[in-house]
Amino acid sequence: MQIVILKNAAEVAAYGADIFEKQLNRKAESVLGLATGSTPVALYQNLIEKNRCGDISFKDAVTFNLDEYLGLEGTHPQSYRFFMNEQLFNHVDINKDHTHVPPGNAKNPVEACQEYEAQIAAAGGIDVQLLGIGRNGHIGFNEPSSGLTSRTRVKTLTKETIDDNARFFSADEYQPHLSITMGIGTILDAKKVVLLATGENKAEAVKATVEGPLTASCPASALQLHRDAVIVIDEAAASKLDNIEFYKHIEAENQKLQAHLASL
Ligand code: F6R
């Protein structure tokens, strides 16, 4: 894992957005794995700005979101489809027909999960997958105890996740307790994975992900198995790590190497 520790959330978003910029400029028809939640919003704003300035184009890109609430139509303001339209797709030159979010309104959710996997495979697999992380170490809606090789499937949310996300629903509004989520195995199949985490309330989860054992109790720890996983965090989210100075040293050396390679 590459651990990148930056000063604040704005730097984390900019660093993450640069990875997507490089990817899109290297391969216009990139297959991007996207996430919802609070953390990626600033990264999406960076991408919207880069698109507006002509630095990147989504014209030929294809996207697959990690997850969706089961039981919500894509027009529901709390659905992840609605979130993606609002936070990114409506503001960039992407073809909406090339954007995929698991269907929360699927009549047969089990078949819909298999279909989602088939669509990812047919697109050639995900080039870069963006992730946030839950306080309990979840990625997508893969809660603790999720199988480390799991595929897209229906998952029950933990009480902690339901409580964390209750802020988005009004008191009298139905809040789903089920989701469709890419599995951990699906995520690990992405060619590159970029996990963003900011704020002290993510510090325990980051510590377990980076320095804890590989365990289904912290689903994000599965990224230890990935060949190209980048963990981009701010100082607050890094605050419980034991080896902060070491990670900063490695990253500084990495930057020097990249500069050298670019000069060749
Ligand atoms: C969202 C998702 C979740 C979030 C996680 C963190 O698509 O898959 O795993 O990334 O719950 O959410 P925030 O960023 O709101 O703290």
Side-chain angles (χ1 to χ4, degrees):
M1 282 195 279
Q2 181 189 353
I3 319 296
V4 182
I5 302 173
L6 301 167
K7 236 185 278 149
N8 52 41
E11 287 190 7
V12 167
Y15 191 102
D18 283 352
I19 293 176
F20 279 84
E21 177 176 4
K22 285 198 187 92
Q23 176 64 37
L24 283 167
N25 287 335
R26 196 180 313 125
K27 181 182 171 192
E29 64 286 4
S30 287
V31 181
L32 307 176
L34 300 177
T36 60
S38 313
T39 314
V41 170
L43 179 148
Y44 293 150
Q45 283 164 2
N46 274 266
L47 293 182
I48 291 167
E49 185 55 19
K50 287 176 192 291
N51 185 239
R52 198 186 61 77
C53 298
D55 293 341
I56 55 173
S57 171
F58 291 88
K59 262 211 283 294
D60 299 315
V62 176
T63 68
F64 287 91
N65 261 79
L66 280 168
D67 45 13
E68 177 60 285
Y69 286 117
L70 195 54
L72 296 191
E73 294 287 336
T75 49
H76 190 290
Q78 302 313 331
S79 74
Y80 286 172
R81 158 55 73 183
F82 189 90
F83 174 100
M84 288 309 301
N85 288 345
E86 290 284 301
Q87 299 296 334
L88 182 66
F89 301 150
N90 287 347
H91 312 286
V92 295
D93 61 347
I94 200 157
N95 177 347
K96 283 240 184 82
D97 292 343
H98 295 169
T99 68
H100 305 83
V101 179
N105 60 353
K107 280 209 178 64
N108 183 332
V110 174
E111 267 177 29
C113 293
Q114 287 163 1
E115 170 67 9
Y116 203 64
E117 286 279 338
Q119 287 175 321
I120 295 172
I126 292 171
D127 290 305
V128 182
Q129 176 66 56
L130 179 63
L131 297 174
I133 184 170
R135 287 187 300 129
N136 60 8
H138 74 216
I139 46 176
F141 274 135
N142 295 285
E143 302 283 26
S145 84
S146 289
L148 296 179
T149 61
S150 51
R151 311 302 305 186
T152 302
R153 69 215 183 289
V154 175
K155 283 295 285 180
T156 309
L157 309 186
T158 60
K159 179 155 184 337
E160 190 180 19
T161 300
I162 292 166
D163 291 347
D164 277 353
N165 291 352
R167 66 190 193 276
F168 300 114
F169 292 84
S170 56
D172 57 349
E173 201 170 22
Y174 167 66
Q175 184 185 355
H177 292 190
L178 292 176
S179 66
I180 293 181
T181 181
M182 282 186 200
I184 297 175
T186 320
I187 293 168
L188 291 179
D189 280 352
K191 294 174 191 88
K192 186 181 189 82
V193 177
V194 182
L195 183 145
L196 307 187
T198 58
E200 214 191 321
N201 66 340
K202 298 292 173 69
E204 281 296 348
V206 167
K207 161 93 179 142
T209 300
V210 174
E211 294 176 343
L214 171 62
T215 168
S217 298
C218 174
S221 69
L223 300 181
Q224 292 173 17
L225 290 173
H226 199 279
R227 283 186 203 176
D228 191 2
V230 191
I231 312 293
V232 191
I233 52 183
D234 66 0
E235 296 276 359
S239 58
K240 296 222 158 75
L241 292 172
D242 285 335
N243 297 315
I244 293 177
E245 290 317 314
F246 178 54
Y247 305 134
K248 287 186 174 173
H249 169 71
I250 296 173
E251 184 53 20
E253 293 293 309
N254 269 342
Q255 296 293 340
K256 276 188 222 157
L257 178 64
Q258 293 309 322
H260 173 68
L261 293 176
S263 73
L264 293 180

